[in-house]
Amino acid sequence: RRIADFQEVLGEPTVALAKLRDLCFSGIPFDGGLRCLCWKILLNYLPLEKALWSSLLKKQRDLYSQFLKEMIIQPGIAKANLGVSREDVTLEDHPLNPNPDSRWNTYFKDNEVLLQIDKDVRRLYPDMAFFQRPTDYPCLLILDPQNEFETLRRRVEQTTLKSQTVARNRSGVTNVSSPLKTPPNSLSEYEVLPNGCEAHWEVVERILFIYAKLNPGIAYVQGMNEIVGPLYYTFATDPNSEWKEHAEADTFFCFTNLMAEIRDNFIKSLDDSQCGITYKMEKVYSTLKEKDVELYLKLQEQNIKPQFFAFRWLTLLLSQEFLLPDVIRIWDSLFADDKRFDFLLLVCCAMLTLIRDQLLEGDFTLNMRLLQDYPISDVHLILKKAKELQDSK
């Protein structure tokens, strides 16, 4: 019945957004690629008029191919069969040219960003094999054996730059990676795929690299990999192979639209402004104070500040607190929220109130452990509680 409800709304020439949001809020069935389609509409990638879909998708996917040519293929020109080596990248330019406009200068700066992205994407969801597996649709534009273009993975392997890992963690105790996710010790633990194949994590790496190049104001901040991961996974497992083939381009544009809404969380200079992360973390506490003053006072008394745990919850849309299928279910509700992520604050409050008894009994150390490695795994219970909090306003 639920699938029929979705098909009815999506079958109209113009999708009724309010109805669609309503349905998606309670969870989207995976069947028939419904989730992929709904997310694309909720993230403003696809317009509500169905007649425009095919021309828009073609235009965006062509644009993405253009980005690949300009930002990945050209800077690393390595057409061995044409006798062009990387040293010829810029004829009159040279690697020691101090000019900020030097293409070499850009190449080295990009490499620093690339090394940070590479480190993060290789450890995406280590408890799942998916990201290490080869994709059915490798990027033929880059892997074309005729041209031997340099892939980003090769670029990382070949670069001898030791980029300093930028400490981007903010707010003291905040740790962006969850204790649940221990990365493998070394890159050598990963199987190297044969030529002509590429792993799903390499696709995610490309998406993030192009995003960083097109958005130099924010570039890449650790944690963005955790936002792309569930989006890409959802699109790359779409049962509709026609859409699945374009998972990379579609993920890129949906990620870009999603980041346009949440990017302020990643910009340190905005932390204390009304759109910054500090304001949102305080909002979690002020909402908790309204709903459960006893618990609020207990956390205050123990000096447990919201940035110790809510920073990661809010910035990464809870993608580090739960297993991937559960994160995807939570995102159905978040993307369907017409107030755009107000519901996320209520989900965080629900998470606190559902472990209130343990928090009221625990000391600082115990409570910090609970909040940084959240114990309840039934997300339906959490979403139900968040909905109750919303209805009780």
Side-chain angles (χ1 to χ4, degrees):
R1 178 69 222 145
R2 273 185 65 66
I3 293 174
D5 289 344
F6 273 92
Q7 285 167 340
E8 192 184 323
V9 171
L10 294 166
E12 295 292 325
T14 301
V15 177
L17 186 59
K19 274 190 197 167
L20 184 69
R21 284 190 192 282
D22 226 25
L23 284 172
C24 295
F25 189 79
S26 311
I28 307 169
F30 175 72
D31 311 65
L34 283 176
R35 175 174 280 124
C36 306
L37 180 54
C38 291
W39 278 17
K40 284 168 186 160
I41 296 169
L42 294 173
L43 291 170
N44 305 316
Y45 178 44
L46 285 178
L48 299 177
E49 293 76 27
K50 274 179 74 173
L52 303 174
W53 287 1
S54 60
S55 62
L56 176 120
L57 287 171
K58 184 179 180 331
K59 185 175 131 250
Q60 295 300 84
R61 289 162 180 174
D62 288 349
L63 176 61
Y64 187 75
S65 295
Q66 201 48 45
F67 292 155
L68 292 177
K69 287 176 192 156
E70 286 172 21
M71 290 171 223
I72 293 182
I73 293 174
Q74 285 171 10
I77 291 174
K79 290 192 174 182
N81 54 349
L82 297 181
V84 180
S85 69
R86 189 196 307 189
E87 277 67 32
D88 299 328
V89 142
T90 49
L91 301 175
E92 285 150 36
D93 197 354
H94 61 82
L96 301 179
N97 184 345
N99 181 348
D101 299 335
S102 151
R103 280 178 65 181
W104 275 105
N105 196 22
T106 308
Y107 188 82
F108 289 142
K109 272 207 163 54
D110 288 350
N111 278 356
E112 289 182 33
V113 174
L114 179 57
L115 288 173
Q116 178 67 50
I117 294 173
D118 188 77
K119 214 171 71 192
D120 293 343
V121 294
R122 284 174 187 259
R123 56 185 181 205
L124 255 180
Y125 291 97
D127 48 343
M128 285 175 65
F130 173 79
F131 286 96
Q132 309 306 324
R133 286 206 188 111
T135 161
D136 297 339
Y137 301 101
C139 181
L140 299 177
L141 199 62
I142 292 172
L143 295 176
D144 177 358
Q146 286 296 301
N147 295 320
E148 291 188 27
F149 290 132
E150 183 181 55
T151 62
L152 290 182
R153 183 176 75 179
R154 286 283 303 281
R155 189 164 155 180
V156 169
E157 285 163 3
Q158 288 171 2
T159 189
T160 50
L161 278 177
K162 290 282 172 280
S163 98
Q164 292 149 324
T165 306
V166 186
R168 294 185 194 266
N169 281 2
R170 317 210 287 278
S171 314
V173 188
T174 305
N175 55 339
V176 172
S177 60
S178 154
L180 296 170
K181 304 189 175 181
T182 45
N185 303 334
S186 71
L187 303 183
S188 61
E189 285 186 29
Y190 291 118
E191 211 180 316
V192 174
L193 297 174
N195 280 348
C197 293
E198 59 179 355
H200 288 292
W201 67 261
E202 293 183 70
V203 181
V204 175
E205 178 166 75
R206 246 193 328 265
I207 292 168
L208 286 165
F209 183 71
I210 289 180
Y211 178 81
K213 288 280 289 171
L214 289 171
N215 296 274
I218 181 170
Y220 173 75
V221 181
Q222 197 184 4
M224 286 181 184
N225 56 313
E226 305 290 351
I227 305 278
V228 178
L231 281 177
Y232 174 72
Y233 174 81
T234 301
F235 295 167
T237 54
D238 190 330
N240 176 346
S241 60
E242 209 180 310
W243 288 63
K244 183 177 173 176
E245 186 180 343
H246 297 286
E248 179 175 350
D250 293 348
T251 301
F252 171 80
F253 289 107
C254 287
F255 171 67
T256 301
N257 290 356
L258 178 56
M259 282 303 297
E261 298 187 36
I262 62 169
R263 59 180 279 165
D264 293 351
N265 294 346
F266 287 90
I267 300 175
K268 190 166 174 30
S269 58
L270 292 177
D271 277 3
D272 298 316
S273 70
Q274 255 202 314
C275 52
I277 189 71
T278 308
Y279 177 78
K280 291 179 186 129
M281 290 190 293
E282 282 164 3
K283 198 109 193 282
V284 171
Y285 264 24
S286 59
T287 310
L288 180 68
K289 190 178 179 181
E290 271 171 49
K291 307 290 181 190
D292 189 337
V293 73
E294 186 188 0
L295 179 56
Y296 166 78
L297 290 171
K298 173 75 176 183
L299 295 176
Q300 288 285 53
E301 175 199 317
Q302 291 189 344
N303 202 19
I304 294 178
K305 296 182 171 23
Q307 55 262 44
F308 296 167
F309 60 93
F311 176 85
R312 189 176 74 206
W313 292 7
L314 294 167
T315 311
L316 305 183
L317 306 181
L318 296 169
S319 63
Q320 287 265 285
E321 312 316 311
F322 303 99
L323 295 171
L324 186 58
D326 295 330
V327 171
I328 288 169
R329 169 60 195 93
I330 292 170
W331 283 18
D332 288 345
S333 297
L334 294 186
F335 294 166
D337 172 19
D338 61 343
K339 295 207 171 53
R340 277 321 201 204
F341 308 118
D342 273 11
F343 188 65
L344 177 59
L345 300 175
L346 294 170
V347 174
C348 294
C349 260
M351 286 168 70
L352 292 171
T353 54
L354 285 170
I355 53 169
R356 76 184 301 271
D357 295 348
Q358 289 147 282
L359 290 171
L360 290 172
E361 282 169 28
D363 59 10
F364 176 86
T365 312
L366 205 66
N367 286 346
M368 281 297 294
R369 197 172 302 145
L370 275 175
L371 294 168
Q372 294 217 328
D373 195 356
Y374 189 75
I376 295 179
S377 57
D378 183 353
V379 297
H380 296 93
L381 185 66
I382 295 166
L383 291 167
K384 185 166 168 267
K385 182 71 184 166
K387 184 80 180 89
E388 283 169 19
L389 294 174
Q390 189 179 50
D391 295 341
S392 71
K393 278 197 162 183

